[in-house]
């Protein structure tokens, strides 16, 4: 199948009262594993590129990544979406759209509200000419390493969520309700009451970032209260590093080009085992 519109996949998730899972990927091993397991389990998924993971890449690489995901999607029947994760750089977003990303996130969470609204709207105006969906962030999800008090100050306020969505025209919005990016110092506790209030105040899909390390019981509830896109990065990357280290340790003194191919297969198997379990959360 051709790449599916992310907006359409989020709508399917909403109708199924669940969430699609969006994985940060940087290369073929990761994207191939996600697409393969999605097809096996018949669950739509999203592949995301996080601009910081593009360190050293140039425009051609951005296009290469998009082409790789398009090509993988064309080999399966299950809907696959391609999304540019957090970017606050307008020029970079345009490059991603031109490279073939069908969905982008404009992250204005560091900006004052009015500026976040103005710039999110500007991205929507351009993106809709290309048929591309736009996610914004309201409040600030932040990093797991920040203190709880710091992050609670930045939680999404239900009373401004409706106005934000109406004024910007975004197709989905990331909410700050207690999750954070990276490795949690303590088990996170999502503010599900706030989520419910935001969900009541808005009529577009909500997005939960900072997916690594949130207990499944909380996720299951969040997915029935408006979260239709769930982002996972850190734990997927950690598994990738660990698998490479394991493989290299077992083959420390060997030098043979076949080992590199075997390593790729080894890593894919590890990632796929994780993905088979993770995707059970997504109740399509
Ligand atoms: P984690 O890296 O904490 O899983 O979060 C991923 C994310 O939210 C990407 O936008």
């Amino acid at each position: 199948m051709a790449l599916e519109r992310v907006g359409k996949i989020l709508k399917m998730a909403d109708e199924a009262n669940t969430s699609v899972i969006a994985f940060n990927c940087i290369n073929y091993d990761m994207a191939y594993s996600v697409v393969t397991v999605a097809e096996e389990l018949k669950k739509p998924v999203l592949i995301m590129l996080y601009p910081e993971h593009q360190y050293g890449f140039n425009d051609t690489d951005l296009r290469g990544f998009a082409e790789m995901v398009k090509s993988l999607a064309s080999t399966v029947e299950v809907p696959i979406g391609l999304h540019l994760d957090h970017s606050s750089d307008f020029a970079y977003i345009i490059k991603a759209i031109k490279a073939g990303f069908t969905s982008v996130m404009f992250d204005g969470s560091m900006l004052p509200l009015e500026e976040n609204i103005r710039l999110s709207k500007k991205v929507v105006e351009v993106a809709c000419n290309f048929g591309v969906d736009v996610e914004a962030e309201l409040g600030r999800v932040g990093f797991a390493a920040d203190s709880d008090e710091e992050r609670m100050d930045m939680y999404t306020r239900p009373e401004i969520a409706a106005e934000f969505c109406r004024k910007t025209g975004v197709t989905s919005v990331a909410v700050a309700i207690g999750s954070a990016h990276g490795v949690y110092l303590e088990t996170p506790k999502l503010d599900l009451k706030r989520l419910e209030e935001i969900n009541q105040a808005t009529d577009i899909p909500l997005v939960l970032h900072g997916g690594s390390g949130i207990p499944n019981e909380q996720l299951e509830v969040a997915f029935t209260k408006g979260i239709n896109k769930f982002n996972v990065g850190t734990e997927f990357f950690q598994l990738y590093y660990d698998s490479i280290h394991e493989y290299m340790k077992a083959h420390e003194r060997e030098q043979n080009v076949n080992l590199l191919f075997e390593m790729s297969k080894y890593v894919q198997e590890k990632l796929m085992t994780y993905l088979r379990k993770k995707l059970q959360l997504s109740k399509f």
Side-chain angles (χ1 to χ4, degrees), residues 24 48 85-86 180-182 209-212 231-234:
N24 288 124
M48 304 189 291
D85 204 6
H86 298 271
H181 299 98
H209 282 241
S212 305
N231 287 12
V232 177
T234 300

Side-chain angles (χ1 to χ4, degrees), residues 121-139:
K121 182 168 181 270
K122 189 172 153 198
V123 173
V124 171
E125 280 163 5
V126 174
C128 64
N129 290 323
F130 294 88
V132 164
D133 300 304
V134 179
E135 173 183 331
E137 182 166 324
L138 180 63

Side-chain angles (χ1 to χ4, degrees), residues 216-245:
N216 284 355
E217 309 79 70
Q218 293 187 42
L219 293 174
E220 277 159 13
V221 180
F223 291 1
T224 62
K225 293 187 187 297
I227 296 295
N228 298 134
K229 174 172 176 279
F230 172 57
N231 287 12
V232 177
T234 300
E235 65 187 27
F236 195 43
F237 273 81
Q238 193 57 53
L239 178 62
Y240 189 72
Y241 296 126
D242 290 349
S243 311
I244 289 179
H245 285 149

Side-chain angles (χ1 to χ4, degrees), residues 59 71-72 74 108 113 115 145 153 161 166 172 180 185 205 228 259 271:
D59 295 357
S71 164
L72 283 167
S74 74
L113 178 64
E115 197 59 358
D153 276 353
R166 193 183 62 252
S172 63
L185 303 175
N228 298 134
L259 284 177
L271 297 179

Side-chain angles (χ1 to χ4, degrees), residues 32-43:
Y32 171 81
S33 303
V34 172
V35 171
T36 304
V37 175
E39 176 72 351
E40 188 183 304
L41 303 180
K42 300 283 173 258
K43 296 192 191 259

